[in-house]
Amino acid sequence: MDRIRIVGGNALNGTIPISGAKNAALPLMIASLLTPQTLTLENVPHLADVEQLIRILGNHGVDYSVNGKRDHQNGGGNGYSRTINFTAENIVDTTAPYELVSKMRASFWVIGPLLARLGEAKVSLPGGCAIGTRPVDLFIDGLQKLGADIDVDNGYVVTRARNRRLRGDRYVFPKVSVGATHVLMMAASLARGETVLENAAREPEVVNLAECLVAMGARIHGAGTSTVTIEGVDELSGAKVRVIPDRIETGTYAMAVAMTGGDVLLEGARPDLLQAALDVVAETGAEITPTNAGIRVRRNGAGISPVDVTTEPFPGFPTDLQAQFMGLMTMAKGKSRITETIFENRFMHVQELARLGAHITLSG
Ligand code: UD1
């Protein structure tokens, strides 16, 4: 799409079905590398990143098939979510090349399952990224702790498990990382013995992945808390798992309604996945009501109040809603302060909002 033209001035009213979460679908798809059997994922959103990951997994030998075209179960899916079967019966290549990994950072995560199942992997470093440097040191540290030998050579992370199998250990993340938690949880599921991950990410997508791994036969406790214990098993089987609703999409629409006024039902949305963000939206003056069908967001008449926000790992206010919230705050009656603590370069929208007439000062 080259251009989106918006004629402003209307309140938003109606029902929006919330899609499956991209950030949950990607690690679940990658988990299919852990087993020769079929992993069926329901409520997979129809997005460019999903198509790109299908290509990347295909390069390793993963076959896929799509069941039907639409998925209306639970009201979720925007009419575009699908059920997709992934089968990694034969892994034909343990290398993830730069041309593919550089297109989507999360594809680096294949390193975990490839190493755990085949004892080796060669995965390109993801390369530059618009929201900061985003290093992979935690992945390397953590996998080394599980017994992997790792070299970084010509832009590739080349790794082998000693005796072709990882072994469990205790790893304390020096910093909370969603991706590194996903990877170490997948890797430890097939390692010999017990792994304890401390200071693990608590994001709902980590819980969704743990549920998937458990359905595949993994032994995992504590996902969703900062200590996750994984008792390694010899092999994993197929399973059928549903992708959780997208909390970022939910929060984005909630903020849109808070901005324009109106009355919208976010169908299939789960308040527990973004309570901190919903509390903030309520503080700005919108009315948030969880219902059996999802979340209803309303704002009638009253102005928008300024609220200060700091991004944090889950259960705090998510960095992925920071830009949208700044949009909302440009319309507030008064001053607000927004602090980004997760990514060092995630204020590129400031200049663009300023061009539209917003009064924003960047400090630090
Ligand atoms: C995931 C989400 C992304 C979200 C982010 C934080 C997906 C596909 N993406 O990204 O939308 O914004 O979580 O909620 O799920 N870090 C290191 N070393 C590492 C790994 C990470 O220093 O080895 C740093 C990062 O640079 C960043 C912080 O840790 O400053 C958090 O990053 P992380 O949680 O890993 O983000 P992603 O998993 O890449």
Side-chain angles (χ1 to χ4, degrees):
M1 197 181 308
D2 292 321
R3 199 167 170 193
I4 302 175
R5 182 162 175 263
I6 300 137
V7 180
N10 291 335
L12 297 174
N13 287 289
T15 296
I16 305 174
I18 297 301
S19 313
K22 183 204 74 164
N23 285 353
L26 300 180
L28 293 176
M29 289 167 67
I30 289 172
S32 70
L33 287 167
L34 287 163
T35 175
Q37 296 178 19
T38 298
L39 179 64
T40 299
L41 301 180
E42 298 174 328
N43 202 29
V44 179
H46 197 69
L47 298 168
D49 275 4
V50 167
E51 301 307 314
Q52 179 62 24
L53 185 56
I54 286 176
R55 277 192 285 278
I56 291 165
L57 293 174
N59 189 57
H60 296 296
V62 181
D63 292 325
Y64 80 100
S65 63
V66 180
N67 294 358
K69 277 224 165 348
R70 283 159 185 249
D71 179 356
H72 289 295
Q73 200 186 324
N74 262 350
N78 237 348
Y80 294 112
S81 291
R82 298 167 299 169
T83 295
I84 310 186
N85 310 300
F86 295 91
T87 312
E89 192 174 353
N90 297 307
I91 305 278
V92 295
D93 196 343
T94 54
T95 299
Y98 177 74
E99 302 75 67
L100 294 178
V101 179
S102 59
K103 293 201 176 113
M104 190 188 29
R105 222 196 111 81
S107 57
F108 180 79
W109 301 348
V110 299
I111 195 168
L114 288 175
L115 180 60
R117 181 166 155 203
L118 293 123
E120 60 170 47
K122 182 177 169 188
V123 180
S124 168
L125 289 166
C129 168
I131 57 172
T133 48
R134 298 181 95 174
V136 294
D137 53 321
L138 304 176
F139 297 80
I140 292 180
D141 266 15
L143 291 172
Q144 279 173 333
K145 201 84 201 316
L146 297 188
D149 289 323
I150 299 188
D151 288 314
V152 179
D153 183 28
N154 265 325
Y156 278 79
V157 179
V158 185
T159 176
R160 264 175 199 284
R162 275 166 239 147
N163 305 319
R164 302 202 78 75
R165 185 154 181 209
L166 296 171
R167 50 164 173 68
D169 205 330
R170 174 169 172 267
Y171 182 66
V172 184
F173 290 96
K175 180 176 192 177
V176 177
S177 163
V178 176
T181 302
H182 285 324
V183 163
L184 291 186
M185 222 164 56
M186 287 191 275
S189 293
L190 284 179
R192 197 186 308 275
E194 186 182 86
T195 299
V196 180
L197 302 177
E198 286 181 34
N199 198 27
R202 290 179 281 168
E203 268 66 2
E205 293 75 22
V206 169
V207 177
N208 205 184
L209 175 63
E211 283 163 1
C212 173
L213 295 170
V214 167
M216 293 165 75
R219 300 201 190 119
I220 302 178
H221 294 284
T225 74
S226 51
T227 303
V228 182
T229 307
I230 305 125
E231 182 67 44
V233 295
D234 291 340
E235 52 186 30
L236 293 170
S237 61
K240 190 187 219 186
V241 179
R242 191 168 176 84
V243 176
I244 55 173
D246 196 310
R247 61 197 170 99
I248 306 307
E249 184 177 310
T250 305
T252 301
Y253 287 130
M255 288 175 194
V257 179
M259 229 181 281
T260 62
D263 185 346
V264 170
L265 174 67
L266 304 175
E267 201 177 34
R270 271 175 48 189
D272 58 307
L273 304 184
L274 73 159
Q275 199 54 56
L278 293 177
D279 290 347
V280 168
V281 175
E283 267 187 77
T284 70
E287 199 181 311
I288 309 273
T289 320
T291 74
N292 286 341
I295 302 173
R296 187 170 170 197
V297 187
R298 271 177 295 185
R299 190 173 67 79
N300 295 317
I304 300 169
S305 307
V307 181
D308 293 345
V309 149
T310 299
T311 63
E312 283 167 359
F314 192 86
F317 187 93
T319 174
D320 290 350
L321 284 173
Q322 180 258 108
Q324 298 90 311
F325 187 70
M326 193 179 294
L328 170 58
M329 286 298 94
T330 64
M331 310 293 292
K333 289 186 182 141
K335 234 185 234 176
S336 52
R337 171 186 288 260
I338 299 175
T339 309
E340 171 62 52
T341 70
I342 309 293
F343 293 109
E344 75 273 21
N345 185 22
R346 210 174 199 187
F347 279 142
M348 287 101 73
H349 44 284
V350 167
Q351 299 307 328
E352 303 305 319
L353 289 170
R355 274 163 20 107
L356 298 176
H359 299 291
I360 308 179
T361 324
L362 262 181
S363 62

